[in-house]
């Protein structure tokens, strides 16, 4: 099936299964949508976050945000590359 024939749900599933696995050697643990129809990807054992604290320290929380920006950027990049970025926010 070509990417043009795929709907946005199939593309998101492709990103969660194949692309995520290719980068992090595991699939996304959970894919769901919120009440606004935005896809929420959950990886409960994301290795990059194991060393980060989830405390109330403002500095640590800023570090956590920066750690998560890279995988989010990867998803946006590949979605733009295959021309489905209009489905991402």
């Amino acid at each position: 099936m070509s990417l043009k024939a795929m709907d946005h749900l199939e593309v998101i599933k492709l990103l969660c299964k194949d692309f995520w696995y290719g980068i992090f050697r595991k699939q996304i643990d959970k894919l769901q949508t919120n009440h606004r129809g935005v896809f929420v990807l959950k990886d409960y054992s994301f290795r990059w976050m194991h060393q980060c604290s989830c405390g109330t320290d403002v500095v640590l929380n800023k570090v956590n945000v920066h750690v998560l920006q890279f995988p989010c950027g990867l998803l946006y990049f590949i979605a733009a590359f295959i021309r489905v970025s209009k489905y991402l926010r």
Side-chain angles (χ1 to χ4, degrees):
M1 177 184 301
S2 71
L3 288 175
K4 290 183 179 182
M6 297 173 76
D7 69 358
H8 64 278
L9 178 60
E10 290 171 331
V11 171
I12 296 297
K13 286 181 181 179
L14 173 85
L15 290 173
C16 292
K17 291 181 179 181
D18 298 329
F19 179 73
W20 198 263
Y21 182 82
I23 300 295
F24 300 108
R25 298 290 180 231
K26 69 176 294 297
Q27 290 184 0
I28 292 287
D29 292 319
K30 189 172 186 180
L31 170 64
Q32 62 189 58
T33 58
N34 67 9
H35 62 282
R36 295 184 206 153
V38 175
F39 289 101
V40 179
L41 287 65
K42 296 184 180 184
D43 187 343
Y44 296 119
S45 58
F46 189 59
R47 289 183 290 162
W48 294 4
M49 293 300 291
H50 284 272
Q51 300 299 321
C52 296
S53 173
C54 295
T56 58
D57 187 359
V58 175
V59 174
L60 287 175
N61 286 335
K62 287 183 180 181
V63 170
N64 292 347
V65 168
H66 290 297
V67 167
L68 293 175
Q69 284 177 338
F70 180 74
C72 291
L74 286 174
L75 289 173
Y76 276 104
F77 172 77
I78 196 66
F81 183 75
I82 60 177
R83 298 182 182 180
V84 293
S85 59
K86 63 184 175 184
Y87 300 114
L88 300 178
R89 292 184 199 168

